[in-house]
Amino acid sequence: MSRKWSLSINGKTALRAGLALCLALAVLAAPVGTGAAKGGKWQALVRDAVCVKGPDVLLGEIADPVDATARSQWKSLAGIKLWQASDRPGHVVNVNRDKLEKVLRYYLGEMAGNLVLPNQMAVQTGGRVINDAELKERLVAFLTPRGKDLGGDVEFKNLQMPGHIFLQSPLDKLVISMNSDLEPGRNEIVLSGIGPDGRVLSRRSAVVFVDVWKTVPVAARPLNRMERLTKDKVSFRRVNLAYKPEVWDGTGGPWRMARTLGRGQVFTLSHLEPVPLIEKGEMVTLVYNGDRVRLSIKAEALGEGGAGQLVQVRNVQSNKVIMATVVDSDTVVVR
């Protein structure tokens, strides 16, 4: 989280204090050393997120050598003292590139030109930082086995994550979790900083999009509503499930069409509904169960229903319409 700093000084002290104080980090105190190691031209990369031990910030805590010259001199260069570290452990200060450049030039002089700077640097006293490379590696390790459980060909893309995560103590740990199972499409990942006592000290999030290419059932020809689904009406093709939610996996049934579907289109669960045991217009056996008599006659179903449900039927002999209970696909009973 960035923090803006303001400073007010009177005219008498402006020339003397302006450079050091206006451009310094919030955590800076008076300069603790401006001496620098001599040597040829070298180059080092300043990190965008660092943890420092204190009491003084060292060049080696905020930068890494890039070329052979820097590496050969890094033992002495890394020990160069810069500003005093904050006395507030776990407190993060953000500094933009312009201020960082001026602060480093104030402490290093011309050697500051050897440093490659980030757009912004975040500094924390104590604890540790998980940088973007480590965080990405850990997220990939977390997602990979879960991706295998999806089946098909899985691809992770558009990973959006924090550039870094600070932990307040070296004993804290980062726990990666999800509130639901990994699925095709957009997924949110929870990044929690957990203390030694198990308390959640911080929480961030990451987002990943998952493509899952899989062969799924599609309509072999145009299908109408209420039409029964049979094997000859089903074909297969490879699709990305990220853009096809609730795709039918080809199991279960018997099914009929709940709505129309064009040729080559993917079956989703919304296209299908279970075929009821008794359908409207079917001829069924109507059984009368009395105390002493059991009579079976033919009847026409005027509605539809599953086992145990009531359905209207018409006695084909008397044309009388009655309510009967569905027993199976051929039989209804009146008690």
Side-chain angles (χ1 to χ4, degrees):
M1 181 171 61
S2 61
R3 182 173 177 180
K4 296 181 180 179
W5 299 94
S6 61
L7 179 66
S8 176
I9 50 180
N10 59 41
K12 292 183 179 180
T13 59
L15 293 176
R16 182 177 57 193
L19 177 63
L21 296 179
C22 288
L23 303 177
L25 300 168
V27 297
L28 294 187
V32 295
T34 56
K38 301 293 183 180
K41 185 71 174 178
W42 51 269
Q43 192 173 53
L45 180 66
V46 175
R47 304 174 205 149
D48 60 358
V50 297
C51 284
V52 298
K53 296 179 180 179
D56 303 322
V57 177
L58 306 179
L59 180 60
E61 291 181 308
I62 70 167
D64 298 295
V66 172
D67 57 13
T69 303
R71 286 190 288 271
S72 66
Q73 302 182 49
W74 199 244
K75 186 174 182 179
S76 59
L77 291 171
I80 297 176
K81 295 181 179 180
L82 300 174
W83 58 86
Q84 288 182 346
S86 168
D87 57 0
R88 298 171 58 189
H91 177 64
V92 179
V93 176
N94 294 284
V95 189
N96 64 38
R97 179 189 176 92
D98 291 339
K99 285 188 177 181
L100 180 61
E101 181 178 9
K102 292 172 183 176
V103 168
L104 290 173
R105 192 165 295 279
Y106 176 75
Y107 284 94
L108 295 176
E110 293 183 358
M111 283 206 312
N114 295 346
L115 300 175
V116 179
L117 307 182
N119 291 329
Q120 179 173 282
M121 183 174 73
V123 185
Q124 175 180 282
T125 301
R128 67 187 183 98
V129 62
I130 298 176
N131 61 26
D132 58 346
E134 180 184 352
L135 181 56
K136 184 175 182 179
E137 181 179 345
R138 293 181 62 171
L139 283 169
V140 170
F142 173 82
L143 292 169
T144 299
R146 289 165 175 80
K148 291 180 180 178
D149 292 340
L150 295 174
D153 297 325
V154 178
E155 179 184 359
F156 302 115
K157 66 180 185 180
N158 298 337
L159 177 61
Q160 301 172 35
M161 64 180 195
H164 55 267
I165 291 181
F166 283 108
L167 300 177
Q168 296 182 3
S169 165
L171 299 178
D172 295 347
K173 60 182 180 180
L174 176 68
V175 174
I176 303 175
S177 62
M178 295 181 66
N179 293 325
S180 59
D181 293 336
L182 188 72
E183 59 185 19
R186 185 182 185 275
N187 292 264
E188 185 171 350
I189 305 165
V190 181
L191 310 170
S192 302
I194 307 295
D197 58 358
R199 288 187 303 124
V200 177
L201 304 176
S202 64
R203 183 172 279 117
R204 305 285 298 277
S205 64
V207 174
V208 67
F209 194 89
V210 184
D211 284 335
V212 181
W213 290 90
K214 205 169 185 179
T215 301
V216 299
V218 298
R221 62 171 179 79
L223 299 173
N224 299 316
R225 184 176 180 275
M226 305 298 288
E227 185 175 351
R228 285 203 181 206
L229 189 62
T230 54
K231 290 183 178 180
D232 60 299
K233 299 172 185 177
V234 179
S235 183
F236 296 88
R237 70 181 177 91
R238 195 166 181 264
V239 300
N240 187 352
L241 299 186
Y243 304 99
K244 299 291 183 182
E246 297 185 334
V247 171
W248 176 48
D249 62 3
T251 62
W255 304 103
R256 70 181 182 186
M257 300 303 298
R259 56 195 180 100
T260 59
L261 186 67
R263 179 180 180 181
Q265 292 185 336
V266 175
F267 286 100
T268 68
L269 297 180
S270 65
H271 287 103
L272 304 174
E273 62 184 17
V275 176
L277 286 177
I278 300 295
E279 292 185 272
K280 183 177 180 180
E282 285 187 331
M283 298 304 295
V284 297
T285 300
L286 173 60
V287 178
Y288 289 93
N289 275 336
D291 294 334
R292 298 180 180 179
V293 178
R294 187 177 190 273
L295 179 63
S296 298
I297 59 175
K298 288 297 182 181
E300 178 187 4
L302 301 181
E304 60 185 31
Q309 294 180 328
L310 291 174
V311 63
Q312 275 191 335
V313 297
R314 183 179 62 84
N315 185 324
V316 295
Q317 293 181 3
S318 65
N319 282 329
K320 184 178 179 181
V321 176
I322 59 175
M323 297 295 295
T325 302
V326 177
V327 176
D328 55 39
S329 60
D330 299 310
T331 310
V332 296
V333 174
V334 176
R335 291 181 174 87

